Amino acid sequence: MADSHGNDRTDDSELKGATGGEDVVDDRIIEEGAVVLRGYVIERINTEDPAMHVSPVDLGGTANEGDDPHVKEVVDQLLKIADELNRNAELQHLLNTVQANCAQEVFMTVAKSIFSDGINWGRIVALFHLAYQLIYRALTQNHLEIIKNIISWVLQFIREHISAWIRQQGGWEGVIRSVSRWRTVSIIAAVAFIAAAVYWRRTR
């Protein structure tokens, strides 16, 4: 269901995860989500800091996991959405206030704020963008031990809050079908992300 702003919405019961046979589908969503997240982080690093060489293995994955054309297509679409977020100067400034070695509680607070009034692909990209910023900072500050924690937090959040919604979109490939709307959802995500960052700064 969509609200008046074009957000894809779910009710609270749909945010609590799946049961029965849907668990198997959601497990695949989490597994693929991990590969997509690592691919997203690597592509952003390659674009913004080509001198830094990061592989899926460095992020807890396997060497060739990003070679799957399906995964590449999903990652490419998420990167298109992220371009709008990356150009938002205020957002980037606020992101810099979240430390690479932040506590899980801080990460989850910001993540929940992003999705406080709905789920859409732009907001999922905002979650990935937050993870990317923290992982990149951890790499540059030599806090390598926290990288797998950050990825684990993202996957935990997906499982607990948004895997059911992704399943309803037909899996991660659902973002490819929404290509015509990526500018709209990315702008919505940027607004949500700014609100989440402001909330975190006021409550920390």
Side-chain angles (χ1 to χ4, degrees):
M1 182 172 64
D3 64 17
S4 59
H5 298 289
N7 288 4
D8 295 308
R9 298 292 297 273
T10 64
D11 61 31
D12 290 341
S13 65
E14 291 172 320
L15 292 178
K16 294 178 180 176
T19 58
E22 293 168 348
D23 285 340
V24 176
V25 177
D26 286 1
D27 285 345
R28 288 201 300 267
I29 286 172
I30 302 304
E31 291 171 5
E32 187 171 349
V35 176
V36 170
L37 172 60
R38 287 189 287 264
Y40 176 91
V41 170
I42 289 169
E43 288 303 317
R44 287 234 67 94
I45 290 175
N46 287 342
T47 299
E48 298 182 20
D49 192 350
M52 181 180 289
H53 301 290
V54 180
S55 74
V57 175
D58 297 324
L59 304 181
T62 58
N64 300 319
E65 66 180 23
D67 294 342
D68 185 334
H70 168 73
V71 171
K72 287 183 176 180
E73 190 174 7
V74 172
V75 170
D76 286 347
Q77 185 58 36
L78 295 178
L79 289 168
K80 288 180 182 179
I81 297 174
D83 285 342
E84 189 76 26
L85 296 177
N86 210 41
R87 286 194 293 267
N88 189 303
E90 183 179 2
L91 172 61
Q92 296 305 315
H93 174 71
L94 291 172
L95 276 173
N96 288 333
T97 68
V98 184
Q99 299 300 312
N101 58 348
C102 69
Q104 181 176 2
E105 180 182 0
V106 171
F107 181 91
M108 291 297 182
T109 295
V110 176
K112 288 176 182 177
S113 298
I114 293 171
F115 296 94
S116 61
D117 63 349
I119 304 172
N120 61 41
W121 289 113
R123 292 171 191 241
I124 291 173
V125 171
L127 176 67
F128 277 29
H129 204 68
L130 171 62
Y132 154 70
Q133 292 279 10
L134 296 179
I135 289 170
Y136 178 75
R137 226 167 289 155
L139 288 167
T140 58
Q141 296 172 10
N142 204 31
H143 291 309
L144 305 183
E145 72 284 351
I146 200 175
I147 292 174
K148 291 181 182 179
N149 288 343
I150 295 168
I151 292 174
S152 175
W153 297 343
V154 174
L155 298 180
Q156 178 184 337
F157 187 87
I158 291 172
R159 180 180 294 280
E160 294 178 355
H161 299 283
I162 58 180
S163 63
W165 184 88
I166 294 173
R167 170 167 38 81
Q168 290 164 5
Q169 313 310 305
W172 289 97
E173 61 269 24
V175 70
I176 300 169
R177 293 192 294 270
S178 63
V179 62
S180 64
R181 297 187 297 150
W182 70 266
R183 289 187 181 276
T184 299
V185 298
S186 63
I187 292 170
I188 291 170
V191 172
F193 210 156
I194 289 170
V198 169
Y199 173 81
W200 173 75
R201 291 178 68 184
R202 288 177 178 172
T203 57
R204 62 176 172 163

